[in-house]
Amino acid sequence: MIGKLKGLVDGYGDDFVHLDVNGVVYEAFCSAKTLAALPQVGHAAVLHTEMIVREDMIRLYGFFSDAEKAWFTTLMTVQGVGARVALSVLSVLTPGELSSAIALQDKAMIGRANGVGPKLAVRIVTELKGKAPVGGSVDAGTLGLQAALGEGVAAGNVADAVSALVNLGYSSAQASAAVARVVGREGDGVATDKLIRLGLRELSS
């Protein structure tokens, strides 16, 4: 089993990277986010990997982080989710966003991925609730804010800032996570307009 590769980027395809490890070139299929995070051809890179062996196929999958790899294997425990769909989900959501979406049962956020219809999105958030892999969980501050929002007891300025970000097109999970990070640094007494501005900065970073 190959757990990690360290080498030089030899080339890219639409959904894979070629990594030269001491003269042996490995082909690893990756999410769009991992491909975007890897360096240019000729530069050194590290990939966390998962090998899937079937009767008619042997494929290597590469991940920028251990958390992404953990979510890949966790997603595939859901009926109807294979490697292609798991990579599709990880192409649109970071491990943190995925954890948050499942904690909030945000099927619309999961449904943004290609190949994930409404029924499969419901199955993913339902079957994986409470099963975030190690390193893939939502931080306590974000979960606390999300719970307060769901129960209608979040501070008015905080709730208004999250609502404004959602109205700008961000999902509730993304908006609440961004505002939670701001509140963690600045406190919950920040004016609504400043919370929105700093939240947008978090979302664009």
Side-chain angles (χ1 to χ4, degrees), residues 25 50 53 77 83 89 98 112 136 148 171 182:
V25 178
E50 180 78 16
V53 180
T77 65
V89 172
L98 179 53
R112 289 166 47 199
S171 73
V182 174

Side-chain angles (χ1 to χ4, degrees), residues 70-173:
W71 265 120
F72 176 77
T73 55
T74 300
L75 281 165
M76 288 198 300
T77 65
V78 177
Q79 182 183 358
V81 177
R84 184 183 295 275
V85 170
L87 280 186
S88 179
V89 172
L90 292 167
S91 289
V92 297
L93 299 174
T94 65
E97 289 169 344
L98 179 53
S99 299
S100 186
I102 289 172
L104 283 177
Q105 297 289 282
D106 190 343
K107 54 185 180 294
M109 194 172 180
I110 303 290
R112 289 166 47 199
N114 289 332
V116 179
K119 289 183 179 179
L120 184 55
V122 169
R123 192 181 305 144
I124 289 172
V125 298
T126 301
E127 292 189 17
L128 296 185
K129 186 175 183 179
K131 297 182 181 179
V134 175
S137 59
V138 190
D139 66 84
T142 300
L143 273 182
L145 173 56
Q146 290 168 347
L149 289 166
E151 295 166 8
V153 296
N157 59 330
V158 174
D160 288 345
V162 172
S163 178
L165 293 176
V166 170
N167 289 335
L168 289 172
Y170 296 98
S171 73
S172 59

Side-chain angles (χ1 to χ4, degrees), residues 14 30-38 47 62-65 68 87-98 109 112 174:
D14 289 340
C30 306
S31 70
K33 289 188 178 296
T34 285
L35 290 175
L38 291 172
L47 275 180
F63 310 95
F64 193 71
S65 67
E68 188 188 28
L87 280 186
S88 179
V89 172
L90 292 167
S91 289
V92 297
L93 299 174
T94 65
E97 289 169 344
L98 179 53
M109 194 172 180
R112 289 166 47 199
Q174 290 172 310

Side-chain angles (χ1 to χ4, degrees), residues 1-2 27-29 50-61:
M1 186 63 69
I2 300 172
E27 182 173 88
F29 291 85
E50 180 78 16
M51 181 180 287
I52 295 180
V53 180
R54 298 198 176 107
E55 289 183 5
D56 58 344
M57 181 195 76
I58 298 177
R59 272 194 174 180
L60 194 64
Y61 295 87

